[in-house]
Amino acid sequence: MIAKLFVTGVFFFLGFMVSAQNLKVIQGDRVPRFSCYASGKVEKSFISPPAVLKSIDPLCDIVVTYIDFPEDAESAFEYAVEQWEKLIESDRPIRIEVTWDDEMASSTLGSCGPEAFYADFTDSPFRGVYYPVAVAEKIAGEELNGSSRFDIIASFNSTIDWYLGTDGATPYSQYDFVTVVMHEIAHGLGYTGFFDSNGDIGSYGFYEFGDASTFDLLVVNNYENQLVDTSYYNNLSSELGAALESGDLYANSPIAKAANGGVKPRLYVPTSFDAGSSIYHLNEASYTTGNLNSLMTPMLGKGEAIHNPGELSLGILEDMGWSNLFIRFEPLKDKYEIGPLTFNVMVESDYKIDSSALYVIYSIDGFQLHSDTLLLSASNKENTISATLIPDAEVDSISYYLQVKDTMNRVRTLPCYAPREYYVIKFGPDSEKPVITHTPIPYFLMTDEPLLVEAQADDNFGIDTVFVRYALNDGQTMFFGLSKKQGTTYSGYFNFNMEELKDGDIVSYNIVAKDSSLAANTTVFPEDEAMVFKVEEIFDPVSSYVNDFNNSTADFLTYDFDVYTASNFTNGALHSPHPYASPNVDNEEFNFFTFLKYPIIIKEEGSMTFDEVVLVEPGETESAYGDAEYWDYAIIEGSKDYGETWMAMTDGYDSGDKEEWLQSYNLGIVGQDSETDGSSDLFFNREISLPENGNFQAGDTVLIRFRLYSDAYANGWGWAIDNLRIQQPLAATITNLSVENIRVYPNPFENSVTVAVSSSGNLDELTIEVFNVVGTKVYSTTVQDVRGLLNTEINLARLGGGLFLVRVSENGKQVLSKKLIKN
């Protein structure tokens, strides 16, 4: 919540709470970022920080990562951060990445926005509404985008003549840097949304038209009609377009209105829509130079210093999520007989509750014609208000919803859109079975922690019992119960004897729920078969690792990936699904992964090399990893906490990384997918420095993961990995092979060439590589422990004719280099 420096009030939109069952996210470079512009005018003034901040301890922790920032600019930035840390309250760190940018337009002072938006997270006040990640994490009480990602992304124009002092004594010729930092951080905290105008057509949306931010809900016309209320403005309409350029829009923020004598703050709405400024600033003409609320206007003058957000901007931020009112309530279940109904409700608010406005509103006709009201009042349960209803004998159901208000006049209902939505209690016999939802356990990593199983179980009469039925390696059937945690969530731990479990054990299980009706209706999930997962051991850490995947291995988690010799390949490799799947549903994604079960102890200059084929959907031309239009990708990641969190070891990449991959992918496109199959002649070698990107350093013990990301639409063959070598130097000084022991034929060749190696001694490691005329490796294979004769046929039919080079090495030392001609 915002530090209580001012009065607060009502939020007009109906609210409710959700658990993170259907978490939605918006992220990438298309996330809107809004700017502050240089007016070019001299507007000398200074608004100091609120005096009360001097006596307030920080209410949150804002952590800044600086890119190319000079030291004096960092100091000024930290001063602005210290102000916000005393104005915004959160128990989650707010991480900002900020760049000193020399490529911004000359009139742009700075630009900033959230790294991501989230909807329907735990305790989200309004269903389907997107919140900037910083406020979403504050409400949910958890990291949503992970501790390795930033919450706010900002850039500042390094070519501006900045005043970098913190005293507000900005010269007439300079722009005050602290002011612009204060302004841009406000955008990152929530002064942002999805309104847009294209010609005469106004709209709001991101992935889908209708996506709205919590700020967007506040935007109204002079009659307090919401722009996102389709009874007033259709989305994608000229009427909405006209409103967005009307010059007459407001933030219907009750808290800001209370601080402004009941007057709605006026938004910046020029008569020509400006995607960098319109809507998400206060009106320049209403809050002119020297006005306490001028920080969030779109323009800044020379000599103008504003080190105070003002009560209007703080009120808007509070109303869009930094202060909340929650109803905690478990809906009543159906009953066999009519009897007293007791409603026990908990209300959580940053302000006191208005005890005269806490209601159960109910109806016996589904709110068609009649409704009645029960007042909720204090009960004998701590922090609980309650009311009891005694229904008439002849009713067969009761419809109801809750409505509460606090002393700042904020109103919430449960369900959210009451009375269009409401709860129903039915009376009479029950034949409905419980409903169970559960995400099957993919695998169990044997650590010191027992295996948690969680499921949602619900029933119109209520749940009596939930338990797990399971068997280890098709052995004796065993059971354990699940306890109710919150709402419909039940959880418990498998009662394995951890000392008897071993790598590769198979566990089959079902979840069973019985309701509390007289019929004791029972559901088994799944109904016809058991779910199955494998026990996986994390082995002792090692400093190096080598695998050519020519034999089956238990060294890798094989839930998504597997080791085998695929079609068009001459030996074994680690393969993703072929083809890998796409969700084919908007906003959905799949992740396929495997990881090495031997943690690696990182060395000072540790590296990893492997051969790979990557046929995954390429991003748009000029897009880069991290952009919204960089579609599918392969990535290598590491975890220092045994898989709890993962960080990149290198940027993700796709088929566009190699010309041969891209050509092969595109040649096979049918509809939106590629049907090109991978083959061994598409192998390229990749080398990664393990500590280079800074996420890992020497001495860290790290699990290494290979992950294939698939976005909503379009897919290809996938990913293959071979000849993996992690921090394992080649024994280059030990060789037994000579040129006389190697034959390469035929030469010239049509489609394939054979490399025959014979040796009377044992060869620890033999590597065969083929390069094209420009030096690109087009084929590579490494074979361990070679004895006697080895014939390797290399198929290069996919490549055009011309000159090639074959190289044969033993233990990393070149033995033969020979030119080849392909007809």
Side-chain angles (χ1 to χ4, degrees):
M1 65 189 238
I2 305 290
K4 297 301 181 294
L5 309 180
F6 48 88
V7 68
T8 66
V10 62
F11 189 95
F12 66 96
F13 202 79
L14 299 182
F16 92 131
M17 302 179 308
V18 297
S19 60
Q21 301 277 329
N22 300 291
L23 183 67
K24 299 176 183 177
V25 60
I26 290 172
Q27 63 188 60
D29 278 1
R30 290 186 298 170
V31 169
R33 292 176 187 153
F34 296 94
S35 302
C36 181
Y37 294 103
S39 72
K41 303 175 183 178
V42 175
E43 300 177 278
K44 180 68 176 176
S45 65
F46 177 46
I47 299 172
S48 61
V52 70
L53 294 189
K54 294 180 180 180
S55 60
I56 293 179
D57 292 330
L59 302 172
C60 70
D61 182 22
I62 299 177
V63 182
V64 185
T65 298
Y66 296 96
I67 299 176
D68 299 328
F69 253 61
E71 185 175 347
D72 49 358
E74 282 191 25
S75 297
F77 199 101
E78 287 297 327
Y79 174 82
V81 162
E82 289 171 5
Q83 311 310 309
W84 277 115
E85 285 180 325
K86 296 180 179 182
L87 293 166
I88 295 294
E89 183 176 357
S90 178
D91 61 359
R92 301 288 100 187
I94 300 171
R95 298 179 176 86
I96 302 178
E97 179 190 63
V98 56
T99 302
W100 197 243
D101 193 338
D102 61 1
E103 296 183 355
M104 302 181 81
S106 60
S107 62
T108 302
L109 300 173
S111 178
C112 185
E115 191 270 350
F117 289 81
Y118 286 84
D120 298 344
F121 46 87
T122 300
D123 282 351
S124 174
F126 306 107
R127 186 175 63 228
V129 175
Y130 285 93
Y131 289 72
V133 58
V135 67
E137 290 185 342
K138 174 255 188 341
I139 296 170
E142 62 179 319
E143 290 287 342
L144 295 176
N145 66 347
S147 59
S148 63
R149 279 168 47 192
F150 298 101
D151 303 316
I152 296 174
I153 307 294
S155 298
F156 293 86
N157 194 338
S158 65
T159 67
I160 295 294
D161 186 8
W162 291 112
Y163 177 66
L164 298 174
T166 61
D167 56 3
T170 311
Y172 289 91
S173 61
Q174 292 182 306
Y175 289 96
D176 189 70
F177 186 64
V178 170
T179 299
V180 181
V181 175
M182 294 283 291
H183 176 106
E184 296 303 339
I185 289 177
H187 283 307
L189 293 171
Y191 243 88
T192 181
F194 308 139
F195 280 115
D196 196 10
S197 180
N198 185 4
D200 294 331
I201 303 301
S203 65
Y204 51 93
F206 190 87
Y207 284 125
E208 300 173 353
F209 286 109
D211 288 344
S213 78
T214 182
F215 190 107
D216 294 335
L217 298 183
L218 292 169
V219 181
V220 298
N221 64 17
N222 194 37
Y223 302 100
E224 299 192 359
N225 299 327
Q226 283 180 286
L227 264 63
V228 296
D229 187 336
T230 54
S231 64
Y232 298 109
Y233 298 99
N234 287 325
N235 203 351
L236 285 168
S237 70
S238 57
E239 292 79 10
L240 181 57
L244 292 173
E245 298 181 341
S246 66
D248 196 28
L249 294 179
Y250 304 84
N252 194 18
S253 161
I255 293 174
K257 286 161 60 178
N260 199 36
V263 178
K264 301 183 295 294
R266 190 166 188 170
L267 299 175
Y268 179 66
V269 186
T271 54
S272 178
F273 189 85
D274 183 342
S277 296
S278 287
I279 310 299
Y280 305 105
H281 288 93
L282 294 181
N283 189 40
E284 190 79 37
S286 302
Y287 312 102
T288 56
T289 301
N291 188 290
L292 179 65
N293 294 294
S294 57
L295 177 71
M296 291 312 296
T297 59
M299 302 284 186
L300 183 72
K302 295 179 180 179
E304 185 178 12
I306 314 161
H307 296 182
N308 186 332
E311 293 182 337
L312 300 191
S313 290
L314 289 171
I316 288 171
L317 287 171
E318 185 155 6
D319 273 335
M320 52 76 62
W322 288 98
S323 176
N324 287 287
L325 168 62
F326 297 128
I327 304 173
R328 309 289 187 187
F329 172 71
E330 184 173 339
L332 303 186
K333 299 299 184 180
D334 294 347
K335 292 182 174 295
Y336 184 76
E337 296 179 339
I338 296 174
L341 304 174
T342 298
F343 303 86
N344 291 313
V345 181
M346 296 182 67
V347 181
E348 296 178 7
S349 174
D350 297 322
Y351 301 94
K352 291 183 178 180
I353 304 301
D354 182 351
S355 59
S356 67
L358 310 174
Y359 304 117
V360 177
I361 301 172
Y362 67 97
S363 171
I364 61 172
D365 63 0
F367 295 100
Q368 296 299 309
L369 297 174
H370 303 286
S371 64
D372 292 288
T373 300
L374 284 174
L375 180 66
L376 290 156
S377 58
S379 71
N380 55 7
K381 293 184 178 180
E382 186 177 1
N383 299 322
T384 300
I385 53 177
S386 68
T388 299
L389 170 65
I390 301 178
D392 293 336
E394 65 273 12
V395 303
D396 55 11
S397 68
I398 296 287
S399 304
Y400 71 97
Y401 63 92
L402 307 178
Q403 180 174 298
V404 303
K405 185 170 70 171
D406 64 18
T407 54
M408 301 313 298
N409 208 32
R410 299 184 300 168
V411 176
R412 296 291 185 268
T413 64
L414 197 67
C416 176
Y417 300 110
R420 287 178 292 153
E421 293 180 345
Y422 48 82
Y423 300 115
V424 178
I425 305 169
K426 297 178 182 178
F427 303 102
D430 176 47
S431 60
E432 295 183 29
K433 291 184 177 182
V435 176
I436 299 174
T437 56
H438 168 69
T439 301
I441 297 168
Y443 52 85
F444 173 43
L445 293 182
M446 282 195 295
T447 63
D448 293 334
E449 298 297 325
L451 176 58
L452 177 71
V453 58
E454 188 172 270
Q456 278 67 48
D458 200 8
D459 184 78
N460 62 311
F461 255 67
I463 295 294
D464 177 75
T465 305
V466 182
F467 63 92
V468 172
R469 181 179 69 200
Y470 76 98
L472 179 63
N473 297 323
D474 293 325
Q476 177 183 357
T477 300
M478 294 175 281
F479 306 87
F480 64 92
L482 301 183
S483 301
K484 185 174 183 177
K485 297 304 177 185
Q486 183 179 10
T488 62
T489 300
Y490 291 76
S491 65
Y493 292 94
F494 276 88
N495 52 2
F496 298 129
N497 184 334
M498 300 291 285
E499 295 182 356
E500 294 182 359
L501 282 183
K502 60 183 183 298
D503 186 64
D505 281 346
I506 301 297
V507 178
S508 57
Y509 73 104
N510 298 83
I511 298 174
V512 183
K514 181 187 299 184
D515 74 14
S516 57
S517 72
L518 295 176
N521 300 299
T522 302
T523 297
V524 178
F525 178 87
E527 184 177 1
D528 298 323
E529 57 186 14
M531 297 169 284
V532 175
F533 63 86
K534 187 163 69 171
V535 176
E536 305 277 3
E537 182 178 359
I538 299 296
F539 303 128
D540 292 336
V542 296
S543 59
S544 62
Y545 181 83
V546 175
N547 198 330
D548 63 7
F549 300 107
N550 289 338
N551 298 296
S552 61
T553 177
D555 294 355
F556 281 80
L557 178 79
T558 53
Y559 179 70
D560 291 324
F561 283 58
D562 206 354
V563 175
Y564 61 97
T565 302
S567 299
N568 302 324
F569 286 77
T570 57
N571 51 35
L574 181 63
H575 290 273
S576 75
H578 300 316
Y580 65 94
S582 294
N584 293 319
V585 176
D586 287 346
N587 301 330
E588 296 294 330
E589 61 188 35
F590 288 154
N591 285 282
F592 306 96
F593 64 87
T594 183
F595 59 79
L596 177 62
K597 288 157 46 176
Y598 285 97
I600 301 296
I601 303 170
I602 302 294
K603 297 180 180 179
E604 190 70 41
E605 297 182 357
S607 66
M608 173 171 64
T609 66
F610 53 90
D611 299 326
E612 64 179 340
V613 178
V614 179
L615 295 182
V616 305
E617 180 193 14
E620 297 297 320
T621 304
E622 303 300 325
S623 66
Y625 172 69
D627 293 349
E629 295 180 340
Y630 197 82
W631 308 124
D632 299 350
Y633 56 83
I635 190 168
I636 296 89
E637 299 166 314
S639 174
K640 294 186 283 189
D641 53 13
Y642 289 89
E644 289 294 323
T645 57
W646 296 89
M647 294 183 289
M649 288 185 154
T650 185
D651 286 350
Y653 51 93
D654 59 22
S655 291
D657 193 67
K658 304 293 181 185
E659 182 178 350
E660 289 84 352
W661 292 345
L662 185 61
Q663 290 176 350
S664 297
Y665 185 95
N666 289 337
L667 283 172
I669 290 179
V670 177
Q672 65 178 356
D673 302 327
S674 173
E675 296 182 357
T676 300
D677 289 334
S679 59
S680 57
D681 59 311
L682 290 173
F683 267 124
F684 285 84
N685 185 259
R686 183 172 300 276
E687 182 172 359
I688 295 170
S689 171
L690 301 182
E692 183 175 11
N693 72 353
N695 286 333
F696 306 95
Q697 57 187 359
D700 287 344
T701 299
V702 178
L703 285 177
I704 294 177
R705 177 169 82 167
F706 299 83
R707 176 168 65 91
L708 171 56
Y709 170 81
S710 175
D711 71 353
Y713 298 99
N715 58 267
W717 178 79
W719 194 10
I721 298 154
D722 201 2
N723 301 317
L724 175 65
R725 179 180 291 275
I726 304 174
Q727 299 186 151
Q728 176 62 57
L730 293 168
T733 58
I734 304 174
T735 58
N736 295 312
L737 195 62
S738 63
V739 174
E740 293 77 17
N741 301 123
I742 306 171
R743 290 180 58 223
V744 182
Y745 63 91
N747 188 19
F749 67 97
E750 296 291 335
N751 294 317
S752 62
V753 62
T754 298
V755 177
V757 177
S758 61
S759 175
S760 57
N762 180 52
L763 307 180
D764 292 335
E765 181 174 285
L766 182 73
T767 300
I768 303 172
E769 301 165 297
V770 180
F771 301 85
N772 64 18
V773 70
V774 297
T776 300
K777 188 185 296 184
V778 298
Y779 174 86
S780 176
T781 185
T782 298
V783 185
Q784 310 285 336
D785 194 21
V786 177
R787 302 182 184 185
L789 180 64
L790 173 70
N791 286 319
T792 302
E793 183 179 359
I794 304 171
N795 190 324
L796 302 179
R798 295 176 181 272
L799 304 180
L803 186 66
F804 293 84
L805 180 74
V806 62
R807 185 168 68 194
V808 180
S809 304
E810 180 187 358
N811 295 335
K813 182 177 181 179
Q814 180 177 303
V815 178
L816 171 74
S817 179
K818 184 178 182 67
K819 293 180 180 178
L820 301 173
I821 298 174
K822 184 177 185 294
N823 293 327

